[in-house]
Amino acid sequence: MRIPRGRRRPPPSLHLLLLFAALCFAALKTAAAAPRTGGTGEGGGGLASVTGSIMDAIPAKDISRKEPVGGVIALKESMKYFDADFFNDSKLREMENGAKEFNVPAFRENRRLVAIKDGGLHDPSLLVFQSSWSSKSKVKESETFDYPQASMIQRPSNDEDIAFMSIIELGELIRTKKITSRELTDVFLRRLKRYGAVLESVITYTEDLAYKQAKEADDLLEQGKYLGPLHGIPYGLKDIIAVPQYNTTWGSKTFKNQVIDMEAFVYKRLKSAGAVLVAKLVTGSLAYDDIWFGGRTRNPWNIEEFSTGSSAGPTASTSAGMVPFAIGSETAGSITYPAARCGVTALRPSFGTIARTGVMSLSESLDKLGPFCRSATDCAIVLDAIRGADAGDPSSREIALEDPFHVDITKFTVGYLDSAEMEVVKVLSAKGAKLVPFKLNYTVESVQSILNITMDVDMLAHFDNWQREGHDDEYEAQDQWPVELRRARLVPAVDYVQAQRARGRLIREVQESFTVDAFIGNVTDWELVCLGNLVGLPIVVVPTGFKSIEHPPKGNTRRRTTVTTGIYAPPDHDHIALALAMAYQSVTDHHKQRPPIDAN
């Protein structure tokens, strides 16, 4: 079906006709006066001479005031940046006219409707990505996970030991009234204020809100109402997550005074579980790496280096015992990279597991929220509290995850890549899982470019107004988003769609080659990071040890480089990755080590 062309382009105005007549007259006059040097017969100057004479006859200032006469030439030149320099002049003129008459007005109207506000919190795209490999629709089971319960837990005598207890242990102290939520909030706020400036990991202390929520948790317990393992437990949120009455800065000086008057879905879930928000933690500016308007977040294991990844604040703060857990996000590595650098356990869940309503958007088909914790057990507890769908996020789903605390890993075949940490392979094999060498097979060679095209174009759609108003000149790291988003202007719609088709092929090929229940591999290999995010694979980042830092200072140093590995599972099988990580951590203690923040 052909779409009606609508109104035709109006005829040239009178002044343009007069200009054309003047150009013709000047050309004829100049041609008549030109010397005849021979070589081309009568009128020897030829067309080139006439054209040159026209340009000489009309002052440059007059030409600059008129409508450009070289539009086709300019368009022809620009087509090479779109890999489409195969059109003849007639077709280019048709394209130019069509763009002016139809495309540009439509672009402007769409921007007026949905792109006035930056960040993508409103009007989500209807091009919804679903990562599930099953055609059957599953409904989330009503039961929560059957958490293990700690027993005989005693309150430590010092705050340092309290700060590094797990959620299970802290929850038992609160449940048995050996500590109050108010006291626990005091402990973590003191640590946040002590180390926040050192690590540059905190943007906003939510102190008033924290004490209000802690009081509510303590009052409920006095009434005999216990909400579960997160009851009264302090935590932090990456500062792309909206909380009413508090700034949601997105890590950017452009938005540092922004207050979004809505409760993000994940915040509402944690509030209903009785958790206590103590701080909004650093996000790299507009969720890109670890540089923000207040500095650059550091790694608690070696404060001479930076944390990497835009979930820098949640990771560093959890690693340093400033919060028992924190919520971060990943589009392309912002959970896996900082978790690996700072040596914490983290979960990047299946795409769609946790609704992103009230969260700044980079790419609606790539963004995921996830927890940073002391252990895989803690990750499972937090996931259970925050998973779920919401109408504000069309990609969110109610996923019927099995209870990871009751999964029999001896029934699993687990693959391991060449990049896997072999200690994990040996431990899981000893625990009864079947371990086999493994390799993902796929023919798509442009995995990284698919991710870059998808993420950059989506990001620009959410921050179109930001770029048009020149705020990219204010950006904290000029070699990051400003460069990528300018380049994104040159991605044609047809090639964005081709990238999504290539992504679909990649997903099909990965699914076909996923012949194991899970696999173990490197968490910061960029190819795997891109592939995992494009496909929607869940991964648990597991600390597996330490090695010496490069170029250590003179004398003894407790600085270390953390070693981690990743346990990957198919989409909607987060419980398998969590169960395997819990099995590994049940007989190792790498995840319990404390970074030397105060030491050299």
Side-chain angles (χ1 to χ4, degrees):
M1 175 181 177
R2 289 183 64 86
I3 299 175
R5 295 285 293 177
R7 66 180 180 87
R8 293 188 177 276
R9 186 177 179 85
S13 63
L14 179 61
H15 83 273
L16 290 178
L17 291 173
L18 292 173
L19 172 64
F20 179 71
L23 288 170
C24 291
F25 176 76
L28 291 172
K29 183 178 179 181
T30 306
R36 300 180 181 179
T37 57
T40 58
E42 187 72 14
L47 181 60
S49 297
V50 172
T51 304
S53 299
I54 292 174
M55 301 308 295
D56 292 337
I58 303 176
K61 62 184 180 65
D62 291 336
I63 295 175
S64 66
R65 289 203 300 262
K66 308 303 179 183
E67 187 172 82
V69 295
V72 167
I73 296 174
L75 189 58
K76 180 181 290 186
E77 280 296 302
S78 68
M79 282 293 107
K80 64 186 179 183
Y81 299 110
F82 299 93
D83 194 27
D85 53 347
F86 49 81
F87 297 103
N88 61 32
D89 288 0
S90 175
K91 291 176 181 177
L92 288 168
R93 173 61 68 189
E94 178 187 76
M95 292 163 65
E96 181 187 30
N97 291 341
K100 290 177 180 177
E101 186 173 353
F102 299 106
N103 295 17
V104 172
F107 296 162
R108 290 174 177 170
E109 175 61 12
N110 290 339
R111 286 200 303 271
R112 185 189 68 79
L113 289 173
V114 300
I116 299 289
K117 295 181 180 179
D118 293 308
L121 295 174
H122 309 284
D123 300 305
S125 170
L126 292 181
L127 300 176
V128 178
F129 171 58
Q130 299 285 2
S131 64
S132 177
W133 288 352
S134 173
S135 59
K136 297 179 181 179
S137 177
K138 293 183 179 181
V139 178
K140 178 186 172 184
E141 299 155 352
S142 58
E143 298 85 4
T144 60
F145 296 160
D146 184 16
Y147 315 116
Q149 186 169 317
S151 59
M152 306 298 291
I153 300 296
Q154 298 300 316
R155 176 175 175 168
S157 59
N158 63 77
D159 288 357
E160 179 80 9
D161 291 337
I162 291 174
F164 285 94
M165 296 179 80
S166 68
I167 290 174
I168 288 284
E169 294 167 333
L170 292 173
E172 183 65 7
L173 289 181
I174 286 180
R175 189 186 70 83
T176 56
K177 300 182 181 179
K178 294 174 181 174
I179 197 170
T180 65
S181 179
R182 168 70 191 230
E183 291 173 316
L184 208 52
T185 299
D186 279 337
V187 169
F188 286 105
L189 277 171
R190 282 196 295 269
R191 288 186 68 83
L192 282 161
K193 291 177 179 180
R194 179 180 178 182
Y195 295 118
V198 174
L199 298 177
E200 300 181 33
S201 63
V202 181
I203 293 182
T204 303
Y205 299 98
T206 56
E207 196 164 357
D208 291 342
L209 176 62
Y211 284 125
K212 177 178 177 290
Q213 292 181 339
K215 183 179 185 304
E216 291 171 354
D218 290 335
D219 289 347
L220 281 175
L221 201 58
E222 287 300 316
Q223 299 166 18
K225 298 177 182 177
Y226 181 63
L227 300 178
L230 295 183
H231 187 124
I233 304 295
Y235 73 99
L237 288 175
K238 183 176 180 177
D239 201 27
I240 61 171
I241 301 171
V243 176
Q245 301 179 14
Y246 285 93
N247 289 358
T248 301
T249 71
W250 300 341
S252 164
K253 56 188 169 187
T254 307
F255 301 100
K256 66 184 296 186
N257 297 316
Q258 170 180 252
V259 177
I260 299 173
D261 190 24
M262 69 183 299
E263 290 187 338
F265 173 85
V266 68
Y267 169 68
K268 287 194 289 189
R269 281 296 177 94
L270 289 168
K271 186 170 73 169
S272 67
V276 174
L277 179 65
V278 289
K280 302 290 289 298
L281 303 173
V282 163
T283 172
S285 185
L286 302 184
Y288 194 128
D289 206 30
D290 52 21
I291 299 173
W292 59 293
F293 66 81
R296 191 172 186 185
T297 305
R298 297 183 177 274
N299 171 18
W301 279 99
N302 180 8
I303 61 172
E304 294 300 313
E305 66 180 10
F306 304 105
S307 62
T308 79
S310 69
S311 296
T315 323
S317 297
T318 304
S319 174
M322 296 156 64
V323 286
F325 74 95
I327 305 299
S329 68
E330 173 157 327
T331 307
S334 285
I335 288 177
T336 51
Y337 269 89
R341 173 65 62 86
C342 299
V344 298
T345 306
L347 168 67
R348 184 190 75 203
S350 295
F351 178 83
T353 304
I354 303 163
R356 302 160 299 182
T357 309
V359 179
M360 191 202 89
S361 182
L362 290 185
S363 172
E364 291 175 47
S365 70
L366 291 170
D367 297 338
K368 296 158 290 292
L369 297 172
F372 296 92
C373 299
R374 301 258 171 273
S375 66
T377 296
D378 286 359
C379 285
I381 290 171
V382 176
L383 174 67
D384 198 31
I386 63 177
R387 61 186 172 130
D390 184 75
D393 178 3
S395 291
S396 60
R397 297 174 292 131
E398 301 286 357
I399 300 174
L401 294 176
E402 294 181 28
D403 187 338
F405 298 106
H406 291 277
V407 168
D408 183 1
I409 72 164
T410 64
K411 296 181 179 180
F412 294 153
T413 299
V414 181
Y416 57 92
L417 305 180
D418 292 341
S419 61
E421 289 295 321
M422 293 309 295
E423 183 197 50
V424 182
V425 174
K426 294 174 182 176
V427 168
L428 291 179
S429 181
K431 297 285 283 185
K434 181 181 179 182
L435 276 294
V436 297
F438 178 69
K439 183 178 181 181
L440 280 172
N441 296 311
Y442 51 91
T443 63
V444 175
E445 296 183 0
S446 57
V447 173
Q448 297 178 32
S449 65
I450 293 171
L451 184 132
N452 287 340
I453 288 173
T454 303
M455 179 176 67
D456 291 353
V457 172
D458 290 357
M459 170 64 176
L460 183 55
H462 292 137
F463 285 88
D464 186 13
N465 192 58
W466 174 82
Q467 188 188 66
R468 288 176 182 277
E469 292 187 350
H471 292 303
D472 56 346
D473 290 334
E474 305 167 359
Y475 190 77
E476 287 75 6
Q478 283 296 304
D479 61 341
Q480 295 181 355
W481 276 135
V483 174
E484 294 198 27
L485 298 188
R486 290 169 198 145
R487 186 179 66 227
R489 286 278 173 196
L490 299 180
V491 178
V494 65
D495 288 302
Y496 177 86
V497 173
Q498 302 295 33
Q500 304 320 302
R501 296 177 68 197
R503 181 181 182 182
R505 177 169 178 167
L506 173 69
I507 292 170
R508 289 190 297 273
E509 292 179 346
V510 168
Q511 181 180 1
E512 289 169 0
S513 72
F514 215 109
T515 56
V516 293
D517 297 295
F519 70 86
I520 305 166
N522 188 290
V523 298
T524 57
D525 176 87
W526 185 235
E527 178 85 356
L528 263 182
V529 169
C530 293
L531 181 147
N533 280 289
L534 288 169
V535 176
L537 303 179
I539 176 178
V540 178
V541 181
V542 181
T544 58
F546 304 90
K547 62 183 180 181
S548 299
I549 64 171
E550 294 182 5
H551 311 298
K554 292 181 179 180
N556 294 328
T557 180
R558 292 184 56 222
R559 297 178 194 169
R560 294 289 182 272
T561 296
T562 58
V563 180
T564 55
T565 201
I567 301 176
Y568 298 76
D572 304 352
H573 290 74
D574 307 49
H575 54 280
I576 294 179
L578 286 166
L580 291 167
M582 287 190 285
Y584 171 74
Q585 290 183 336
S586 69
V587 293
T588 59
D589 66 355
H590 305 301
H591 59 291
K592 296 180 180 181
Q593 304 306 307
R594 305 178 187 181
I597 317 168
D598 290 320
N600 66 347

